[in-house]
PDB file of all heavy atoms in Angstrom:
ATOM      1  N   LEU A 210      10.743 -10.316  17.415  1.00 98.00           N
ATOM      2  CA  LEU A 210      11.936 -10.879  16.721  1.00 98.00           C
ATOM      3  C   LEU A 210      11.989 -10.763  15.168  1.00 98.00           C
ATOM      4  O   LEU A 210      12.412 -11.530  14.546  1.00 98.00           O
ATOM      5  CB  LEU A 210      12.403 -12.177  17.301  1.00 98.00           C
ATOM      6  CG  LEU A 210      12.313 -12.411  18.739  1.00 98.00           C
ATOM      7  CD1 LEU A 210      12.573 -13.925  19.052  1.00 98.00           C
ATOM      8  CD2 LEU A 210      13.524 -11.576  19.365  1.00 98.00           C
ATOM      9  N   VAL A 211      11.143  -9.703  14.785  1.00 98.00           N
ATOM     10  CA  VAL A 211      10.953  -9.567  13.303  1.00 98.00           C
ATOM     11  C   VAL A 211      12.293  -9.089  12.693  1.00 98.00           C
ATOM     12  O   VAL A 211      12.947  -8.095  13.342  1.00 98.00           O
ATOM     13  CB  VAL A 211       9.942  -8.644  12.976  1.00 98.00           C
ATOM     14  CG1 VAL A 211       9.921  -8.353  11.391  1.00 98.00           C
ATOM     15  CG2 VAL A 211       8.505  -9.277  13.358  1.00 98.00           C
ATOM     16  N   ASP A 212      12.898  -9.663  11.579  1.00 98.00           N
ATOM     17  CA  ASP A 212      14.024  -9.128  10.981  1.00 98.00           C
ATOM     18  C   ASP A 212      13.790  -7.908  10.125  1.00 98.00           C
ATOM     19  O   ASP A 212      13.049  -8.153   9.093  1.00 98.00           O
ATOM     20  CB  ASP A 212      14.625 -10.337  10.113  1.00 98.00           C
ATOM     21  CG  ASP A 212      16.167 -10.061   9.782  1.00 98.00           C
ATOM     22  OD1 ASP A 212      16.369  -8.819   9.559  1.00 98.00           O
ATOM     23  OD2 ASP A 212      16.907 -10.958   9.494  1.00 98.00           O
ATOM     24  N   LEU A 213      14.152  -6.818  10.608  1.00 98.00           N
ATOM     25  CA  LEU A 213      13.780  -5.504   9.893  1.00 98.00           C
ATOM     26  C   LEU A 213      14.382  -5.464   8.459  1.00 98.00           C
ATOM     27  O   LEU A 213      13.917  -4.647   7.721  1.00 98.00           O
ATOM     28  CB  LEU A 213      14.153  -4.407  10.630  1.00 98.00           C
ATOM     29  CG  LEU A 213      13.537  -4.257  12.031  1.00 98.00           C
ATOM     30  CD1 LEU A 213      13.987  -3.070  12.787  1.00 98.00           C
ATOM     31  CD2 LEU A 213      11.946  -4.237  11.871  1.00 98.00           C
ATOM     32  N   ARG A 214      15.345  -6.353   8.153  1.00 98.00           N
ATOM     33  CA  ARG A 214      15.828  -6.283   6.732  1.00 98.00           C
ATOM     34  C   ARG A 214      14.886  -6.938   5.668  1.00 98.00           C
ATOM     35  O   ARG A 214      15.102  -6.571   4.571  1.00 98.00           O
ATOM     36  CB  ARG A 214      17.183  -7.080   6.688  1.00 98.00           C
ATOM     37  CG  ARG A 214      18.343  -6.670   7.514  1.00 98.00           C
ATOM     38  CD  ARG A 214      19.488  -7.489   7.587  1.00 98.00           C
ATOM     39  NE  ARG A 214      19.101  -8.834   8.056  1.00 98.00           N
ATOM     40  CZ  ARG A 214      19.800  -9.900   8.118  1.00 98.00           C
ATOM     41  NH1 ARG A 214      21.088  -9.871   7.588  1.00 98.00           N
ATOM     42  NH2 ARG A 214      19.393 -11.037   8.677  1.00 98.00           N
ATOM     43  N   TYR A 215      13.957  -7.508   6.239  1.00 98.00           N
ATOM     44  CA  TYR A 215      12.956  -8.129   5.418  1.00 98.00           C
ATOM     45  C   TYR A 215      11.436  -7.780   5.580  1.00 98.00           C
ATOM     46  O   TYR A 215      10.625  -8.603   5.619  1.00 98.00           O
ATOM     47  CB  TYR A 215      13.050  -9.728   5.436  1.00 98.00           C
ATOM     48  CG  TYR A 215      14.471 -10.116   5.258  1.00 98.00           C
ATOM     49  CD1 TYR A 215      15.119 -10.953   6.306  1.00 98.00           C
ATOM     50  CD2 TYR A 215      15.179  -9.971   4.075  1.00 98.00           C
ATOM     51  CE1 TYR A 215      16.372 -11.302   6.187  1.00 98.00           C
ATOM     52  CE2 TYR A 215      16.489 -10.356   3.876  1.00 98.00           C
ATOM     53  CZ  TYR A 215      17.134 -11.209   4.944  1.00 98.00           C
ATOM     54  OH  TYR A 215      18.468 -11.555   4.790  1.00 98.00           O
ATOM     55  N   ILE A 216      11.346  -6.464   5.732  1.00 99.00           N
ATOM     56  CA  ILE A 216       9.936  -5.995   5.824  1.00 99.00           C
ATOM     57  C   ILE A 216       9.836  -4.766   4.780  1.00 99.00           C
ATOM     58  O   ILE A 216      10.822  -4.153   4.396  1.00 99.00           O
ATOM     59  CB  ILE A 216       9.525  -5.408   7.223  1.00 99.00           C
ATOM     60  CG1 ILE A 216      10.287  -4.131   7.570  1.00 99.00           C
ATOM     61  CG2 ILE A 216       9.755  -6.540   8.291  1.00 99.00           C
ATOM     62  CD1 ILE A 216       9.587  -3.380   8.738  1.00 99.00           C
ATOM     63  N   ILE A 217       8.619  -4.582   4.417  1.00 99.00           N
ATOM     64  CA  ILE A 217       8.250  -3.347   3.560  1.00 99.00           C
ATOM     65  C   ILE A 217       7.445  -2.533   4.596  1.00 99.00           C
ATOM     66  O   ILE A 217       6.361  -3.043   5.023  1.00 99.00           O
ATOM     67  CB  ILE A 217       7.397  -3.755   2.373  1.00 99.00           C
ATOM     68  CG1 ILE A 217       8.181  -4.733   1.431  1.00 99.00           C
ATOM     69  CG2 ILE A 217       6.888  -2.476   1.676  1.00 99.00           C
ATOM     70  CD1 ILE A 217       7.215  -5.499   0.470  1.00 99.00           C
ATOM     71  N   LEU A 218       7.758  -1.294   4.803  1.00 99.00           N
ATOM     72  CA  LEU A 218       7.058  -0.539   5.684  1.00 99.00           C
ATOM     73  C   LEU A 218       6.072   0.270   4.759  1.00 99.00           C
ATOM     74  O   LEU A 218       6.570   1.066   3.714  1.00 99.00           O
ATOM     75  CB  LEU A 218       7.846   0.572   6.431  1.00 99.00           C
ATOM     76  CG  LEU A 218       7.129   1.485   7.288  1.00 99.00           C
ATOM     77  CD1 LEU A 218       6.387   0.761   8.514  1.00 99.00           C
ATOM     78  CD2 LEU A 218       8.005   2.620   7.881  1.00 99.00           C
ATOM     79  N   LYS A 219       4.744   0.246   5.056  1.00 99.00           N
ATOM     80  CA  LYS A 219       3.824   1.041   4.264  1.00 99.00           C
ATOM     81  C   LYS A 219       3.069   1.930   5.232  1.00 99.00           C
ATOM     82  O   LYS A 219       1.893   1.751   5.709  1.00 99.00           O
ATOM     83  CB  LYS A 219       2.795   0.050   3.582  1.00 99.00           C
ATOM     84  CG  LYS A 219       1.781   0.641   2.800  1.00 99.00           C
ATOM     85  CD  LYS A 219       0.974  -0.253   1.850  1.00 99.00           C
ATOM     86  CE  LYS A 219      -0.264   0.343   1.320  1.00 99.00           C
ATOM     87  NZ  LYS A 219      -0.768  -0.474   0.223  1.00 99.00           N
ATOM     88  N   PRO A 220       3.596   3.248   5.298  1.00 99.00           N
ATOM     89  CA  PRO A 220       2.992   4.137   6.280  1.00 99.00           C
ATOM     90  C   PRO A 220       2.100   5.036   5.447  1.00 99.00           C
ATOM     91  O   PRO A 220       2.187   5.168   4.291  1.00 99.00           O
ATOM     92  CB  PRO A 220       4.090   4.928   6.837  1.00 99.00           C
ATOM     93  CG  PRO A 220       5.198   4.897   5.798  1.00 99.00           C
ATOM     94  CD  PRO A 220       4.933   3.601   4.900  1.00 99.00           C
ATOM     95  N   SER A 221       1.337   5.980   6.269  1.00 99.00           N
ATOM     96  CA  SER A 221       0.672   7.005   5.586  1.00 99.00           C
ATOM     97  C   SER A 221       1.636   8.287   5.665  1.00 99.00           C
ATOM     98  O   SER A 221       2.556   8.172   6.444  1.00 99.00           O
ATOM     99  CB  SER A 221      -0.651   7.318   6.449  1.00 99.00           C
ATOM    100  OG  SER A 221      -0.409   7.160   7.682  1.00 99.00           O
ATOM    101  N   MET A 222       1.337   9.234   4.724  1.00 99.00           N
ATOM    102  CA  MET A 222       2.270  10.428   4.855  1.00 99.00           C
ATOM    103  C   MET A 222       1.672  11.236   5.988  1.00 99.00           C
ATOM    104  O   MET A 222       0.476  11.220   6.378  1.00 99.00           O
ATOM    105  CB  MET A 222       2.291  11.216   3.521  1.00 99.00           C
ATOM    106  CG  MET A 222       2.787  10.371   2.400  1.00 99.00           C
ATOM    107  SD  MET A 222       2.779  11.323   0.943  1.00 99.00           S
ATOM    108  CE  MET A 222       3.078  10.083  -0.263  1.00 99.00           C
TER     109      MET A 222
END
Side-chain angles (χ1 to χ4, degrees):
L210 309 177
V211 172
D212 190 333
L213 299 180
R214 294 172 301 169
Y215 307 120
I216 69 163
I217 300 160
L218 179 67
K219 176 164 171 169
S221 37
M222 295 183 196

